[in-house]
Amino acid sequence: MKLTIRNLQKTYPNGVQALKGINLIIETGMFGLLGPNGAGKSSLMRTIATLQEADAGSIFLDELDVLKDKAEVRKILGYLPQEFGVYPKISSELMLDHIAQLKGILNANERKQTVAALLDRVNLYNDRKKHLGTFSGGMKQRFGIAQALLANPKLIIVDEPTAGLDPAERNRFYNLLSELGENTIVILSTHIVEDVRTLCSDFAIICKGEVLRNGNPDEAVKEL
Ligand code: ADP
Ligand code: ADP
């Protein structure tokens, strides 16, 4: 799979030029997006996730026109925003069951199996009866991944996921993402250069709405 971004531009109504003609090709695997605060990372990710419009340019996922066929994109997208709310008084198991029902898995046994497998995959099976409000930051993030995975996504976008996670939780979360990256495009934005180097086969640095650098992180580090 290949995500091709051409000349993507976005200016907000307040005049801030957040994306000044972004060109990137992102292939299956883990792609790291680095850049300081205000660089345009979230703007780029929200645009790929069909949550906001671009002013110019194009995004294609193979043949799929991402900026046009939004409904199609949403079927194959997993998006984990920087902070997402959870309903505090419901168990992870029941929440996923509800979402599965909304997604059209109508058979209760099938849902039960699907939900159990997902919770197991993100290491939350033993916590399946606990209310989401009692979850730690890392548990919530892993729950977010389980929720995203319900859709069998081909494209997963994760916006600065590890802020506030302790190192053990961070490792657990990243191991999970790495597994996903084996057959999915995973775009990860982060401030942590070392994380990109260990996890990502490909990366870009964005600054002031422009791509400063794009390529293989190990090679980039060698040149420094
Ligand atoms: P990053 O995710 O790298 O921190 P953002 O994409 O959030 O960068 O922001 C890029 C620039 O666009 C910043 O100057 C930010 O203040 C501005 N910006 C982001 N979202 C909006 C918005 N909805 N309205 C106006 N300006 C915005
Ligand atoms: P990030 O750096 O991850 O984008 P922000 O705090 O910049 O996080 O953005 C949080 C929310 O505020 C987003 O929905 C973004 O669109 C909005 N936002 C960011 N900057 C501005 C701005 N200058 N004017 C209006 N909205 C903004």
Side-chain angles (χ1 to χ4, degrees), residues 20-36:
K20 299 177 187 164
I22 299 282
N23 291 292
L24 280 176
I25 292 178
I26 301 178
E27 298 192 69
T28 301
M30 294 262 302
F31 186 90
L33 202 55
L34 279 170

Side-chain angles (χ1 to χ4, degrees), residues 97-107 110-111:
D97 185 79
H98 286 336
I99 301 169
Q101 209 164 345
L102 290 175
K103 294 222 174 268
I105 309 179
L106 299 179
N107 180 295
E110 190 189 338
R111 276 206 307 279

Side-chain angles (χ1 to χ4, degrees), residues 14-96:
N14 61 359
V16 174
Q17 251 186 303
L19 303 174
K20 299 177 187 164
I22 299 282
N23 291 292
L24 280 176
I25 292 178
I26 301 178
E27 298 192 69
T28 301
M30 294 262 302
F31 186 90
L33 202 55
L34 279 170
N37 263 331
K41 302 184 296 298
S42 296
S43 297
L44 177 60
M45 293 175 121
R46 286 197 302 263
T47 310
I48 299 169
T50 74
L51 297 171
Q52 71 179 37
E53 308 272 343
D55 300 326
S58 65
I59 307 177
F60 278 86
L61 180 65
D62 292 332
E63 310 297 313
L64 179 63
D65 188 335
V66 171
L67 295 178
K68 276 213 185 101
D69 302 332
K70 291 189 187 146
E72 286 305 307
V73 176
R74 285 171 194 168
K75 285 185 202 158
I76 52 140
L77 173 78
Y79 176 66
L80 201 63
Q82 219 168 24
E83 281 168 23
F84 63 97
V86 292
Y87 293 103
K89 297 256 157 123
I90 187 171
S91 71
S92 55
E93 186 179 51
L94 196 56
M95 188 69 209
L96 287 181

Side-chain angles (χ1 to χ4, degrees), residues 10 19 43 112 221:
K10 175 70 181 178
L19 303 174
S43 297
K112 198 167 177 190
V221 167

Side-chain angles (χ1 to χ4, degrees), residues 188-215:
L188 165 75
S189 89
T190 174
H191 285 116
I192 308 169
V193 178
E194 193 48 36
D195 288 354
V196 169
R197 210 155 75 87
T198 43
L199 286 164
C200 301
S201 47
D202 216 358
F203 87 124
I205 300 174
I206 296 206
C207 193
K208 295 184 179 158
E210 289 174 301
V211 177
L212 275 193
R213 155 128 233 167
N214 177 212

